[in-house]
């Protein structure tokens, strides 16, 4: 009887030990499960972060302004939408620098304004009044180009003084023969972009030094109209950005300008701040609404794309590139937003 009692107690003790061992195993499994759950959550969070960084963007980017800068920004927009972000719509218009600033410096205005001149003091003041942070991004160098009809074989080379006097109200030039008696005794027909364009303002401010233009000058809003007018007028001469000449060489010829050391033809090699065509060289810009760049990822992403690829496309659209160190400075700024 006593031995049977001891046997029962021994069985109970063994069972208790087994249960404790099993219980301990369950506790370890629970801890491991918790750890595995935590690791899984961390991995999921990492995957989500990585996915957000590489996610396709959606939305729209709205750009207006300079007709001169338009071809460059248009090709960048097209490349961006095709090769970078198919879900982002980039709209590029060309109202002209001044008219573009009016759209840009407004409540719910455009994201960028292309400009063939620097922002004016009164425009910057308006931005300040609106509480808008604006960043100037220099994108290329352009050469103010004078163009004539292909049939014009007498005015292929002119001096800087010739083209200035030709467009001045008191320049004393009515006929081509007033410039050179060997030229035809026919009236000079002058054309150019109107006051909405930064090219007009650059010409008026820097080339004519704010002297009045001749009354007979035909000023147009659309650059394609200017191209067609010269293409149809053997006695015409017009001014605009080098890119519009490059894209219409079958209809126009460029005038080589003598700045005092021999005639220089505008080209990607001669256009530059220290190059031979320097007196008629100017920087062109796009202005960024920094507040929009901070609140709309697609705007900032497009700005970065522009500055990372600007020199790749400048030459294709008739612009000389800006120095790489200047480009990198803008990229660093954008990366810091």
């Amino acid at each position: 009887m006593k031995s049977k009692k001891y046997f029962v107690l021994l069985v109970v003790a063994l069972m208790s030990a087994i249960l404790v061992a099993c219980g301990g195993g369950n506790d370890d499994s629970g801890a491991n499960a918790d750890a595995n759950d935590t690791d899984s959550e961390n991995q999921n969070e990492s995957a989500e972060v990585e996915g957000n960084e590489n996610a396709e963007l959606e939305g729209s980017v709205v750009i207006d302004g300079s007709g001169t800068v338009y071809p460059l920004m248009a090709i960048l927009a097209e490349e961006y939408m095709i090769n970078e972000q198919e879900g982002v719509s980039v709209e590029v218009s060309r109202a002209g620098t001044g008219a573009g600033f009016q759209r840009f410096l407004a409540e719910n205005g455009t994201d960028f304004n292309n400009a063939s001149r620097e922002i004016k003091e009164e425009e910057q003041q308006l931005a300040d009044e609106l509480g808008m942070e604006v960043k100037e991004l220099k994108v290329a160098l352009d050469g103010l180009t004078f163009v004539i009809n292909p049939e014009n074989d007498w005015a292929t080379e002119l001096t800087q003084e010739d083209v200035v006097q030709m467009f001045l109200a008191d320049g004393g030039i009515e006929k081509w023969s007033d410039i050179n008696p060997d030229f035809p005794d026919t009236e000079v027909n002058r054309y150019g972009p109107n006051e909405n364009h930064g090219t007009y303002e650059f010409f008026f401010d820097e080339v004519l030094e704010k002297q009045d233009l001749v009354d007979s000058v035909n000023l147009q809003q659309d650059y394609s109209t200017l191209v067609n007018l010269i293409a149809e007028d053997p006695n015409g001469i017009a001014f605009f950005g080098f890119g519009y000449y490059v894209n219409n060489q079958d209809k126009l010829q460029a005038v080589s300008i003598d700045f005092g050391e021999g005639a220089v033809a505008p080209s990607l090699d001669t256009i530059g701040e220290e190059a031979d065509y320097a007196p008629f060289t100017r920087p062109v810009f796009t202005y960024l609404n920094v507040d929009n760049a901070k609140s709309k990822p697609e705007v900032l992403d497009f700005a970065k794309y522009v500055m990372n690829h600007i020199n790749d496309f400048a030459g294709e659209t008739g612009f000389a590139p800006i120095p790489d160190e200047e480009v990198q400075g803008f990229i660093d700024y954008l990366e810091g937003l």
Side-chain angles (χ1 to χ4, degrees), residues 227-304:
V227 169
N228 292 333
L229 286 168
I230 293 298
E232 296 170 0
D233 186 355
N235 289 304
I237 184 169
F239 65 91
F240 43 61
F242 179 69
Y244 281 96
Y245 159 68
V246 168
N247 293 321
N248 293 281
Q249 294 181 68
D250 58 328
K251 301 177 182 179
L252 312 170
Q253 61 176 325
V255 177
S256 295
I257 305 296
D258 187 345
F259 298 103
E261 298 182 0
V264 179
S267 71
L268 295 182
D269 292 329
T270 60
I271 293 170
E273 293 171 327
E274 297 180 1
D276 295 337
Y277 205 75
F280 285 173
T281 292
R282 56 176 175 163
V284 293
F285 313 91
T286 193
Y287 284 81
L288 170 66
N289 182 325
V290 176
D291 303 312
N292 286 3
K294 290 178 178 179
S295 63
K296 298 168 63 179
E298 64 273 21
V299 172
L300 180 57
D301 192 64
F302 180 70
K304 291 178 182 178

Side-chain angles (χ1 to χ4, degrees), residues 121-140:
E121 183 177 345
E122 57 267 30
E123 291 165 340
Q124 182 59 59
Q125 184 177 350
L126 177 56
D128 295 339
E129 292 172 359
L130 292 168
M132 179 190 299
E133 184 179 356
V134 173
K135 176 64 178 177
E136 177 185 275
L137 301 173
K138 182 178 175 181
V139 293

Side-chain angles (χ1 to χ4, degrees), residues 11-329:
V11 171
V12 171
L14 288 171
M15 291 180 65
S16 298
I18 292 171
L19 288 172
V20 169
C22 290
N26 287 340
D27 289 343
D28 289 343
S29 297
N32 289 337
D34 291 341
N36 290 336
D37 288 344
T38 301
D39 290 343
S40 178
E41 289 174 4
N42 290 338
Q43 290 172 1
N44 289 337
E45 288 176 3
S46 298
E48 287 175 6
V49 170
E50 184 178 355
N52 285 337
E53 289 177 351
N54 298 323
E56 292 187 2
L57 297 173
E58 294 183 350
S60 63
V61 178
V62 182
I63 306 167
D64 206 341
S66 169
T68 299
V69 182
Y70 171 82
L72 175 57
M73 196 60 69
I75 193 171
L76 283 162
E78 181 179 4
E79 291 291 325
Y80 177 78
M81 289 186 288
I82 293 173
N83 299 318
E84 293 292 320
Q85 295 290 348
E86 294 182 359
V88 177
S89 170
V90 184
E91 172 194 325
V92 187
S93 301
R94 45 183 168 177
T97 298
F101 269 124
Q102 292 178 14
R103 286 194 65 195
F104 180 69
L105 300 172
E107 296 291 343
N108 301 314
T110 53
D111 300 307
F112 295 84
N113 188 60
N114 298 328
S116 52
R117 60 159 173 82
E118 294 182 339
I119 190 171
K120 294 181 178 180
E121 183 177 345
E122 57 267 30
E123 291 165 340
Q124 182 59 59
Q125 184 177 350
L126 177 56
D128 295 339
E129 292 172 359
L130 292 168
M132 179 190 299
E133 184 179 356
V134 173
K135 176 64 178 177
E136 177 185 275
L137 301 173
K138 182 178 175 181
V139 293
L141 297 173
D142 179 46
L144 185 72
T145 302
F146 291 85
V147 295
I148 53 178
N149 185 281
E151 295 180 19
N152 183 332
D153 59 1
W154 61 87
T156 56
E157 295 183 5
L158 296 171
T159 67
Q160 181 177 4
E161 183 67 14
D162 288 338
V163 293
V164 169
Q165 294 300 317
M166 196 180 304
F167 280 87
L168 285 178
D170 59 357
I173 295 176
E174 295 182 4
K175 299 180 178 181
W176 285 103
S177 56
D178 293 330
I179 299 173
N180 185 325
D182 293 332
F183 289 176
D185 192 33
T186 54
E187 288 189 7
V188 177
N189 299 324
R190 288 151 278 218
Y191 305 91
N194 65 21
E195 295 90 339
N196 286 331
H197 292 279
T199 299
Y200 169 91
E201 295 179 90
F202 174 80
F203 182 65
F204 178 71
D205 293 343
E206 304 299 329
V207 178
L208 299 187
E209 297 179 340
K210 299 185 177 182
Q211 300 177 78
D212 291 339
L213 272 77
V214 62
D215 290 339
S216 61
V217 64
N218 184 343
L219 301 178
Q220 295 287 330
Q221 169 66 23
D222 189 48
Y223 283 104
S224 62
T225 301
L226 291 173
V227 169
N228 292 333
L229 286 168
I230 293 298
E232 296 170 0
D233 186 355
N235 289 304
I237 184 169
F239 65 91
F240 43 61
F242 179 69
Y244 281 96
Y245 159 68
V246 168
N247 293 321
N248 293 281
Q249 294 181 68
D250 58 328
K251 301 177 182 179
L252 312 170
Q253 61 176 325
V255 177
S256 295
I257 305 296
D258 187 345
F259 298 103
E261 298 182 0
V264 179
S267 71
L268 295 182
D269 292 329
T270 60
I271 293 170
E273 293 171 327
E274 297 180 1
D276 295 337
Y277 205 75
F280 285 173
T281 292
R282 56 176 175 163
V284 293
F285 313 91
T286 193
Y287 284 81
L288 170 66
N289 182 325
V290 176
D291 303 312
N292 286 3
K294 290 178 178 179
S295 63
K296 298 168 63 179
E298 64 273 21
V299 172
L300 180 57
D301 192 64
F302 180 70
K304 291 178 182 178
Y305 179 84
V306 166
M307 297 316 303
N308 274 290
H309 295 84
I310 196 70
N311 281 348
D312 298 334
F313 292 99
E316 290 187 23
T317 49
F319 293 95
I322 60 176
D324 290 339
E325 57 269 23
E326 286 192 60
V327 174
Q328 189 58 51

